[in-house]
Amino acid sequence: MGQLSANLFAGRADQLRRPAVAPVECGAVSRLIIMSNRVSAPKARSGSASQGGLAVAMSSALRESGGIWFGWSGEVTDTFTGRMNISRDAGVTTATVDLEPQDIDEYYNGYANRTLWPLFHYRIDLAEFDRSFGAGYERVNQRLASTALPLIEPDDLIWVQDYHLIPLGDQLRQMGVTNRIGFFLHTPWPPHRLLTALPYHRRLVESMLAYDLIGFQTDDWLESFHHYVECEMDGKVDADGIVTVGDRVVRTGAFPIGIDASEIDDMVTSHDAIEAQRTIRDSAKGKKVIIGVDRLDYTKGLVQRFEGYGHFLDEHPDWQHRAFLLQIAPASRGAVHTYEDIRAELDGVSGRINGHFAQVDWVPIRYVNQSYPRAGLAGLFRGADVALITPLIDGMNLVAKEYVAAQDPEDPGVLILSKFAGAALQMTDALLVNPYSKDAISDALATALAMPLDERKRRWRALMAGVSNDNVHRWREDYLAALGGRTPIAQ
């Protein structure tokens, strides 16, 4: 497979061995190779595309450091060949490969999204354990490693992203790659006992020991990983995060991901953002706007959010007709039946609340199943009085940070945030709530909507200081410094 990929790649190797932009030196390392499940090619105008948090973070990192972003193209091919699609845009080189339908069914829709995703988000009741899923997951990781092999030069740093590609580092090691390889998990890491429900859980974790550095979003997920290693693998964890299992020594640490706050600041002055802000304010007609922006996913607590909002309208009838909830929830992973279920449930809950409370000139919930360009979202954030971000559990949640960055310093909105989002550990000046509690959501909405300007400014300034300081550039620099072995990892 590696030879096949190398032959197909012949003629382009020299082209890709030089980064598209001058790299930032990282010790002796001249280039960064990022590997993720999907590659979202960056646009010259950052506000023109709708990109998720990982895509934005990866694009920002590669613009600064140079190198290559490698992964699945999102496209389907009848027969896997290992042929790469190479492109350069906005200072970033991407290399992608197409997968077969069986690969997508077993690796992506199967093991990644029907086994690991629910398990890592504590929804073992939704996790599906199918032998073919695991086989497809290992096969695709081996195929990706073989395809990427010709891209790798001796001094490159390799940074593997997220739960789709956990075994990729081990596959590269088996193919003779001796570069420093790091792994970063963007989701939570489940508690020890929960993870043992996964068939072959030990083999999955053993494959992680091939990395030089394993990064998590928060200390909570890091400690869960350490607990598993100690209990299941008789491993040793030092105070500085060094994990030793047998003769394998791996660094571990917590690296909270951030956003590019300056990019959001630029966006809110763009034409698209100004138009979006004007549209939402004009349509509000003086009413308070509560906004939620989430992928349509059972981890986001959308049903509980709607129920809490309905409870708020019951408890505070004076706010009826004076506020509304705009929930943007683009559909995702349509091939996984649990996502069809959550959409149907949300349709029912929103219809019931609107049917109960709506008046001729007021609908309490505006529920939208489409995505928006990032600049448009920034404008909607700036035009909203309250952000209601209440996931049941989240690795981080960058939407909360983007909302804060988009606010008008002279008239900022209020962030209501789930205490179970990774971002809650950094954003303590938000109104932190238990997303399972209708009463907690109702009380937080009442507080947010009535909050005086002085308190809104005080909370926003504290939140914005954190968003600006703990940004995507610091995340990248801290992680890569630790991967290069040049700095200790703060615990």
Side-chain angles (χ1 to χ4, degrees), residues 105-121:
D105 288 343
E106 295 174 351
Y107 149 77
Y108 182 70
N109 292 326
Y111 201 78
N113 289 321
R114 290 160 66 180
T115 302
L116 292 185
W117 178 266
L119 182 66
F120 281 13
H121 289 84

Side-chain angles (χ1 to χ4, degrees), residues 385 400 403-405 407-409 411-417 426-433 443-444 447-467:
D385 301 280
Y403 176 78
V404 169
Q407 294 309 293
D408 179 356
D411 187 22
V414 180
L415 173 63
I416 300 174
L417 180 63
Q426 297 174 308
M427 308 183 81
T428 55
D429 284 276
L431 296 180
L432 300 180
V433 298
D443 291 349
T447 298
L449 290 169
M451 187 176 292
L453 178 60
D454 286 349
E455 184 177 356
R456 285 192 279 126
K457 284 184 175 181
R458 178 185 63 77
R459 288 177 178 270
W460 176 81
R461 282 193 293 266
L463 289 168
M464 189 61 196
V467 169

Side-chain angles (χ1 to χ4, degrees), residues 291-295 300 302 305 326-330 372 377 380-381 387-389 397 399-400 402:
I291 192 170
V293 177
D294 311 81
R295 281 189 307 103
K300 300 302 181 181
L302 297 175
R305 184 180 308 171
L326 169 62
Q327 177 62 57
I328 298 172
Y372 286 83
L377 280 179
L380 294 177
F381 286 148
L388 191 56
I389 311 296
N397 197 293
V399 171
E402 290 179 347

Side-chain angles (χ1 to χ4, degrees), residues 468-484:
S468 298
N469 184 58
D470 298 319
N471 57 47
V472 67
H473 305 296
R474 180 175 178 179
W475 170 69
R476 181 206 69 217
E477 291 163 3
D478 288 351
Y479 185 92
L480 293 181
L483 178 58

Side-chain angles (χ1 to χ4, degrees), residues 155-464:
D155 288 336
D156 290 341
L157 267 187
I158 302 170
W159 193 2
V160 179
Q161 306 290 327
D162 225 359
Y163 62 101
H164 312 83
L165 304 181
I166 289 174
L168 186 57
D170 188 46
Q171 293 286 352
L172 290 171
R173 296 293 188 213
Q174 293 180 42
M175 296 173 189
V177 174
T178 59
N179 301 55
R180 295 191 69 80
I181 310 176
F183 174 77
F184 186 82
L185 183 66
H186 292 259
T187 69
W189 182 265
H192 161 230
R193 288 297 184 190
L194 197 59
L195 185 60
T196 59
L198 178 70
Y200 305 109
H201 54 88
R202 183 183 175 100
R203 187 165 76 187
L204 184 73
V205 178
E206 283 177 343
S207 73
M208 296 175 73
L209 301 180
Y211 293 104
D212 295 287
L213 173 64
I214 304 171
F216 299 88
Q217 295 274 21
T218 72
D219 286 326
D220 287 348
W221 318 139
L222 176 64
E223 290 168 5
S224 292
F225 179 77
H226 287 168
H227 189 217
Y228 177 93
V229 168
E230 290 172 328
C231 294
E232 292 293 323
M233 308 181 79
D234 197 27
K236 176 185 176 184
V237 180
D238 294 340
D240 57 359
I242 302 296
V243 170
T244 303
V245 178
D247 61 357
R248 185 63 190 147
V249 179
V250 181
R251 304 186 82 195
T252 63
F255 304 86
I257 194 172
I259 65 170
D260 188 338
S262 62
E263 184 182 32
I264 302 296
D265 193 48
D266 290 339
M267 280 184 192
V268 295
T269 61
S270 69
H271 172 77
D272 290 349
I274 291 170
E275 283 300 307
Q277 183 182 359
R278 180 182 296 118
T279 297
I280 191 63
R281 295 315 311 179
D282 288 349
S283 70
K285 297 179 180 178
K287 300 177 181 64
K288 296 283 189 179
V289 180
I290 306 162
I291 192 170
V293 177
D294 311 81
R295 281 189 307 103
L296 190 60
D297 191 290
Y298 50 80
T299 67
K300 300 302 181 181
L302 297 175
V303 171
Q304 292 83 354
R305 184 180 308 171
F306 282 12
E307 295 283 10
Y309 174 65
H311 187 55
F312 163 74
L313 295 176
D314 263 333
E315 285 197 320
H316 302 274
D318 54 312
W319 277 109
Q320 296 178 24
H321 208 277
R322 294 173 55 210
F324 66 88
L325 170 62
L326 169 62
Q327 177 62 57
I328 298 172
S332 66
R333 300 169 183 160
V336 181
H337 66 83
T338 48
Y339 292 88
E340 298 174 358
D341 295 343
I342 186 65
R343 183 168 187 168
E345 187 174 9
L346 275 174
D347 286 345
V349 174
S350 61
R352 173 170 53 80
I353 292 173
N354 281 340
H356 180 71
F357 291 105
Q359 300 174 21
V360 172
D361 57 348
W362 174 67
V363 177
I365 298 178
R366 300 182 185 181
Y367 174 37
V368 182
N369 284 134
Q370 68 181 55
S371 59
Y372 286 83
R374 294 186 65 231
L377 280 179
L380 294 177
F381 286 148
R382 196 173 181 91
D385 301 280
V386 177
L388 191 56
I389 311 296
T390 54
L392 303 181
I393 187 170
D394 242 345
M396 178 53 58
N397 197 293
L398 297 182
V399 171
K401 298 187 176 187
E402 290 179 347
Y403 176 78
V404 169
Q407 294 309 293
D408 179 356
E410 298 305 315
D411 187 22
V414 180
L415 173 63
I416 300 174
L417 180 63
S418 166
K419 67 180 183 178
F420 300 128
L425 298 173
Q426 297 174 308
M427 308 183 81
T428 55
D429 284 276
L431 296 180
L432 300 180
V433 298
N434 176 357
Y436 293 93
S437 169
K438 293 190 297 184
D439 290 332
I441 293 174
S442 175
D443 291 349
L445 283 169
T447 298
L449 290 169
M451 187 176 292
L453 178 60
D454 286 349
E455 184 177 356
R456 285 192 279 126
K457 284 184 175 181
R458 178 185 63 77
R459 288 177 178 270
W460 176 81
R461 282 193 293 266
L463 289 168
M464 189 61 196

Side-chain angles (χ1 to χ4, degrees), residues 89-159:
D89 195 0
V92 175
T93 299
T94 59
T96 61
V97 62
D98 303 339
L99 295 178
E100 295 177 5
Q102 183 180 0
D103 291 336
I104 297 167
D105 288 343
E106 295 174 351
Y107 149 77
Y108 182 70
N109 292 326
Y111 201 78
N113 289 321
R114 290 160 66 180
T115 302
L116 292 185
W117 178 266
L119 182 66
F120 281 13
H121 289 84
Y122 299 14
R123 290 301 305 270
I124 192 172
D125 58 312
L126 298 179
E128 299 178 39
F129 305 119
D130 187 307
R131 194 187 307 272
S132 67
F133 292 172
Y137 183 71
E138 293 187 4
R139 180 182 66 251
V140 170
N141 271 271
Q142 190 275 335
R143 285 180 165 181
L144 292 174
S146 295
T147 305
L149 197 60
L151 300 175
I152 301 170
E153 293 186 336
D155 288 336
D156 290 341
L157 267 187
I158 302 170
W159 193 2

